[in-house]
Amino acid sequence: MYATYPQWMNPHTSARSHLPTAQQLYDSPFNFASYKPEEIGHLSRRAGRSYCNDARNKRYLRNDAQQLSNVSFDLLRGYPHKYIRASIKRSQRSMNHILSWWVACGGQQLGSPGGAASFPTSSRPLNFDFVVRRGHLAKVLVTPHVQYGWKLAVTLFRGTYFLLEVAEDEDFTEARDRIDYMGHKFEHYMTSATPGQAPDPSGVLDLNDGFYSISKVSLKSHSLLLCAEVDSEDPTVRYLKAPATYVELKTTQGDPENVSSIKKLRWWAQSFLGGIPRIIAGFKRDDRTVEKCRIFQVTQDGLTQTVSRSWAAPDFWKPAVCMNFLDAFLSFVKEVVTEDNPE
């Protein structure tokens, strides 16, 4: 299996066109303590994916979330008459809200050792190697263990690589529509707009609303500006700094003791990249009703305790393999994308 760079897209490079993804090639130690995302900003998204430089869409975890075990959450409550679907299709997504946030910072040089500072026209506006969404990077991260397709567009602009997923629109089906609704409806049962307030799952579910954390982080020699959508913040741990206060919310079918290895891998990848330490998962008894909740700790090994330790096992995955591959992928991008495009 290879990550392939089409040479015809950049005739100015003589670099290799393939990056091998075999697991064993990346099976070496990784210093997880060195990967520490630090939040440096946030933003909210509204209808039409419009940008707001504030936390108006931040949601707060319910106070009794730690004690929840047996529940009865109807995830199709309000469907479809209290449902506002996303106004932007997958193929229309861009980096505009991240760039708008940067402009709102006053056009300052972010990521410099001394903090934000004004910059001359000739310098690198964003003092990061990469600007990317967390979700896009998570797909790359799991590649040695999960063989499904993804495609990223990359442009090098004044010293910084901007990565964006090239996505195709999915045909509308009611089944897909219901799945999207139910995943977000679980968040309505678990969160509120005000700390300490009881959730109100009877309200309208608007997929255009979102809250995003902007973090800086280093992965070996690479510096990244990472944008991650946040499901909730735990108001009981205010003594911590974001993103350590954030909690990911998931739903799945089945029993808490039998979460598949690949699902754990994807959960770990998404949360670990964003520096989010906990996941609360809702387990559905049938197609629509959550009856159990379980908390998972997202440490470097927190979701892998039940995973087989044999390379021959089909469910095997290793966090260090993933992180070493991501490091190699970012180096690969630097090697093959060499033409800085000021346009």
Side-chain angles (χ1 to χ4, degrees):
M1 182 179 176
Y2 293 89
T4 303
Y5 180 85
Q7 288 285 1
W8 57 266
M9 293 181 66
N10 188 350
H12 304 286
T13 180
S14 59
R16 55 185 173 148
S17 60
H18 294 84
L19 176 69
T21 63
Q23 301 167 1
Q24 290 86 343
L25 296 176
Y26 306 98
D27 186 22
S28 59
F30 180 84
N31 181 12
F32 286 92
S34 67
Y35 185 85
K36 295 181 178 179
E38 177 186 345
E39 184 177 87
I40 58 174
H42 53 252
L43 61 92
S44 295
R45 189 194 66 219
R46 303 291 287 176
R49 303 277 166 155
S50 61
Y51 161 82
C52 304
N53 188 26
D54 53 41
R56 69 182 66 185
N57 283 349
K58 183 189 287 187
R59 305 285 296 182
Y60 297 91
L61 194 67
R62 56 191 294 165
N63 285 345
D64 62 349
Q66 304 287 348
Q67 289 76 44
L68 287 179
S69 179
N70 297 320
V71 298
S72 182
F73 297 159
D74 180 5
L75 300 187
L76 285 178
R77 179 179 179 178
Y79 180 86
H81 56 282
K82 289 188 175 182
Y83 183 26
I84 301 176
R85 296 170 179 83
S87 59
I88 300 296
K89 297 180 179 180
R90 294 181 70 216
S91 62
Q92 297 173 321
R93 293 176 183 174
S94 69
M95 305 189 80
N96 287 350
H97 59 297
I98 306 175
L99 300 178
S100 295
W101 168 83
W102 171 66
V103 171
C105 291
Q108 294 177 319
Q109 186 176 21
L110 302 172
S112 58
S118 58
F119 62 93
T121 304
S122 60
S123 70
R124 184 160 78 162
L126 283 168
N127 198 21
F128 293 94
D129 296 331
F130 296 93
V131 176
V132 62
R133 291 185 180 184
R134 183 263 315 263
H136 301 345
L137 215 56
K139 293 183 178 181
V140 178
L141 182 64
V142 302
T143 296
H145 298 297
V146 181
Q147 298 185 19
Y148 65 87
W150 48 263
K151 184 186 296 184
L152 293 178
V154 183
T155 187
L156 174 60
F157 175 71
R158 293 174 64 180
T160 298
Y161 296 86
F162 294 81
L163 280 68
L164 185 69
E165 184 180 20
V166 180
E168 297 182 358
D169 295 327
E170 297 177 344
D171 294 334
F172 176 86
T173 65
E174 184 175 350
R176 179 73 255 176
D177 194 49
R178 287 159 64 99
I179 291 173
D180 289 344
Y181 180 88
M182 288 190 291
H184 288 87
K185 193 64 179 181
F186 180 63
E187 298 174 14
H188 270 205
Y189 280 99
M190 296 296 297
T191 66
S192 64
T194 305
Q197 187 180 64
D200 179 15
S202 67
V204 174
L205 196 160
D206 189 346
L207 293 193
N208 296 290
D209 290 343
F211 173 71
Y212 294 81
S213 171
I214 309 291
S215 297
K216 64 178 182 179
V217 68
S218 294
L219 174 57
K220 293 190 178 180
S221 64
H222 313 294
S223 59
L224 295 91
L225 185 67
L226 201 64
C227 179
E229 187 167 11
V230 175
D231 294 337
S232 68
E233 181 174 64
D234 185 349
T236 68
V237 292
R238 289 296 182 87
Y239 55 90
L240 298 175
K241 291 184 178 180
T245 57
Y246 297 146
V247 180
E248 199 81 34
L249 300 174
K250 300 289 186 183
T251 61
T252 188
Q253 200 86 24
D255 186 84
E257 306 304 325
N258 296 308
V259 181
S260 74
S261 173
I262 295 303
K263 190 179 293 288
K264 284 184 177 181
L265 167 60
R266 289 172 172 159
W267 287 1
W268 170 83
Q270 185 180 28
S271 296
F272 184 78
L273 277 179
I276 298 176
R278 285 179 295 158
I279 296 170
I280 297 181
F283 291 85
K284 293 182 289 184
R285 173 200 61 190
D286 50 29
D287 290 339
R288 62 185 291 169
T289 308
V290 168
E291 289 196 333
K292 294 181 180 180
C293 292
R294 175 67 61 85
I295 298 174
F296 293 89
Q297 300 296 329
V298 184
T299 61
Q300 67 184 60
D301 202 43
L303 288 172
T304 66
Q305 298 297 335
T306 61
V307 177
S308 171
R309 297 297 174 181
S310 168
W311 281 111
D315 65 346
F316 177 83
W317 64 273
K318 203 171 183 179
V321 168
C322 297
M323 296 301 290
N324 287 325
F325 173 76
L326 182 57
D327 169 54
F329 172 79
L330 295 177
S331 296
F332 177 69
V333 170
K334 289 179 178 178
E335 181 180 333
V336 299
V337 182
T338 58
E339 182 181 4
D340 198 305
N341 183 3
E343 300 298 328

